Amino acid sequence: MSPGYDLMSFLVEMGEKDMVNVSDSLEKKLKGIGFKSEENLPFVIGNDTLSKPEGSFMWVNPKNGTSIFIHEFQSKNDANSQWPEFRHHIDRYTGRNLGKMGTFYLKLEPEIPSSLNATFLAGNKIFQLRKPLDFISSGTFEFSEDQLKEVNSADNDLVEAMDALVDVFVSEKNKIYRPLNGESLTEDERLFGFINFWTEVKYNFAFFDQVPNLDWQQVLLDYLPKVRNAPSNLEYYRILQEVCALLSDGHTNIYLPSSLKKEFGSPAVTITPVNGALYFTNTDKQLKATIPLGSQLIGVNGLPVEEYIEKHIRPYISSSTEHIRRNMEAHEVLQGIRTDSVQIEIRTPENQLKQLTLGRDPSNIEWIIPSEPWQLSSFRKIGDVAYVSLNSFDNSQIVEEFESYLDSIESSKALIIDLRKNGGGNSWNGYHILKYLTDRPIITSKWKTRDHRPAYKAWGAFVDEDSDNLDSWDSEALAAYKDDYWFESGPDTIAPSNNPVIKLPTIVLIGNNTASAAEDFLVAADPIDHFTTMGDFTYGSTGQPMFIRLPGGGKARICTKRDTYPDGREFVGYGVHPDIMAPKTLDDILAGEDSLLSMAIKKLTESN
């Protein structure tokens, strides 16, 4: 779904042109790609039929069934007031969420035909694009090969329609941000994207103190020639990734345009770092005899693996913590241009050295250890212990699902909350869940963000920083001059639930993939005395990222908000340390056993 997603994220920031000024050119453009105007067809979001507002526009491509609906309101305020009704229908579906601006998503519900949709708000207009699909899903992102082909074909149909909208609605100066479509960026476009990213980092990045040896001014001087002389779009984006990696922050990243991401591939293997070394912990069944599970990766393309990583992988990784950087190195060590192969050297569990060549464009993959279908949450009783996995805080539905488990939890003697797969989302979803688990006020993270005050900065240039008599105003002006002036906010205090609170002995399972809003959950839960955390260090990165567009359809995000514990303790750049440290062992991984869960159950049952 990424091509349409990229186009949609580009479109939602537009919408300044009125329909009266573009109707003729829009009609001509859409007719040119097979659409015709329709007035009497129903207005459908996903599979929900809504009343069609008067004055709306609708086109349908009879050859492939793709439909385009546009309704223009009198003002942006009118559009914003009607948007929640559209959001009501979007929120029930699974897809790529752009927040207030809209969603590009697959409608997947059991016993109902699927569809691919893009629903978004742009200025005073609401757009809905839809392509019906022929298959009925199981409600998950698991597809047959034929179904996946149909989804990809539908994606291309929606991209074609959205591209036509871009041509009509978007001004020429903003088309620098549209997907590449095979075109090469000019030198001016490359320089503009780099300088824009560099400037936004200079004024908004929240963690310069965690890279004390980085001279950001010098970075500009060092990389301008590289950007100017970049021989290709891919090399340009790799340069941006290299610059971004210098900031060592997990919420500050460069995202390649989808057309460039497609150039990369990886063999059908999973590599996991354990005690500093890299091991194969899953492969396609076709590689089972060639690469026995538990084999160690010791060389890549003729170099010792650590030398290869240092030269070709580490320079492009953005991470706040060393343990996550290592995980990303393991994930990316065999990645490269999809059409190329990669030479590796391994040491098998029987201490046999083998040299192999692997392709990076595998197909029909059947993993030795199959992955479990992803769920937003799950619940089960293990004896008298209630087990709840909360796998994302990105969707408010997680609160509703947790509430549905409350009666069963209340009848249990202990509780396990599993956050090991929770990569974050909206912190308030986690806080709403905590309200049911403590009778004490919930104290959230304390935070601050940089405050740029140009006049203060100008005055600060005349302040003698060596003076012993600086008053508060002088100090503030001097801080602004040094780009070190901050707005600080105390933590929020959230009252417990009015419903009966469940105070059971609780173990929270955490690990390296517990990130962002899930870490905010742990910070708020830190004082709860019946909570114990168990597992491994968390991701060590949270905050509010600011997204900016880059030439050719790429994106960047920059962390603008610095969160700490309420008492000022840092966890970004370190990770939350569990009360009981129990990292996974290689034997656990290869056996497919959840020894951490077993340990938690044993601890809770013994204490009861």
Side-chain angles (χ1 to χ4, degrees), residues 6-193:
D6 284 354
L7 261 175
M8 183 182 161
S9 64
F10 171 62
L11 268 172
V12 291
E13 298 182 37
M14 307 304 164
E16 297 300 322
K17 293 183 180 178
D18 294 332
M19 290 295 293
V20 67
N21 296 322
V22 301
S23 57
D24 290 342
S25 56
L26 181 59
E27 184 82 11
K28 182 178 179 181
K29 186 72 179 179
L30 292 177
K31 280 185 177 181
I33 58 173
F35 282 83
K36 65 177 185 178
S37 179
E38 293 283 358
E39 295 182 0
N40 300 318
L41 290 178
F43 169 44
V44 181
I45 294 184
N47 282 343
D48 294 343
T49 301
L50 280 66
S51 298
K52 187 161 56 178
E54 286 189 28
S56 57
F57 299 82
M58 192 167 190
W59 293 266
V60 176
N61 187 327
K63 291 183 179 180
N64 59 32
T66 303
S67 60
I68 301 173
F69 165 87
I70 306 174
H71 185 71
E72 183 177 67
F73 296 86
Q74 291 294 319
S75 67
K76 291 182 181 180
N77 288 338
D78 290 341
N80 288 331
S81 67
Q82 290 296 314
W83 182 240
E85 172 60 25
F86 288 81
R87 292 291 309 168
H88 166 70
H89 295 276
I90 296 170
D91 285 342
R92 294 192 286 134
Y93 309 136
T94 302
R96 305 275 191 162
N97 195 339
L98 290 166
K100 180 182 178 182
M101 297 183 295
T103 307
F104 182 66
Y105 57 94
L106 274 164
K107 159 78 171 190
L108 297 172
E109 288 185 339
E111 302 180 4
I112 300 175
S114 303
S115 62
L116 186 64
N117 299 261
T119 310
F120 56 95
L121 174 68
N124 65 334
K125 288 175 281 295
I126 291 177
F127 293 74
Q128 163 66 16
L129 287 78
R130 180 178 182 269
K131 170 67 185 287
L133 304 174
D134 291 332
F135 65 87
I136 296 175
S137 80
S138 62
T140 69
F141 271 120
E142 292 192 352
F143 305 105
S144 68
E145 188 172 344
D146 288 342
Q147 289 172 342
L148 188 58
K149 287 180 180 178
E150 188 179 349
V151 171
N152 289 333
S153 176
D155 190 27
N156 291 332
D157 291 337
L158 254 64
V159 167
E160 181 183 48
M162 295 171 78
D163 219 358
L165 296 178
V166 170
D167 281 336
V168 173
F169 282 100
V170 177
S171 61
E172 198 63 38
K173 66 182 178 62
N174 285 322
K175 289 182 182 177
I176 183 177
Y177 301 116
R178 73 184 303 166
L180 291 164
N181 294 331
E183 297 181 3
S184 295
L185 296 170
T186 67
E187 179 180 321
D188 287 344
E189 288 171 339
R190 294 196 303 270
L191 288 169
F192 170 79

Side-chain angles (χ1 to χ4, degrees), residues 31 89-90 131 194 362 436 447 452 535 549:
K31 280 185 177 181
H89 295 276
I90 296 170
K131 170 67 185 287
F194 168 61
Y436 292 102
W447 62 274
H452 180 60
R549 294 172 295 164

Side-chain angles (χ1 to χ4, degrees), residues 415-421 506-512 514 522 530-538 576-584 594-607:
L415 172 63
I416 295 173
I417 299 175
D418 194 342
L419 298 180
R420 288 175 292 176
K421 297 179 182 178
T506 300
I507 288 181
V508 184
L509 305 182
I510 62 176
N512 290 174
T514 308
L522 295 173
H530 58 277
F531 272 38
T532 300
T533 53
M534 179 184 290
D536 205 344
F537 283 103
T538 62
V576 175
H577 192 297
D579 298 319
I580 300 172
M581 190 73 178
K584 271 189 174 182
D594 195 342
S595 60
L596 184 63
L597 178 58
S598 300
M599 187 186 306
I601 294 169
K602 181 179 179 181
K603 181 174 177 60
L604 288 170
T605 52
E606 286 178 350
S607 62

Side-chain angles (χ1 to χ4, degrees), residues 2 4 159 174 200 237 257 344 381 419 421 569 586:
S2 57
V159 167
N174 285 322
E200 295 292 359
Y237 267 92
I344 65 171
K381 291 286 284 285
L419 298 180
K421 297 179 182 178
R569 282 177 292 152
L586 182 60

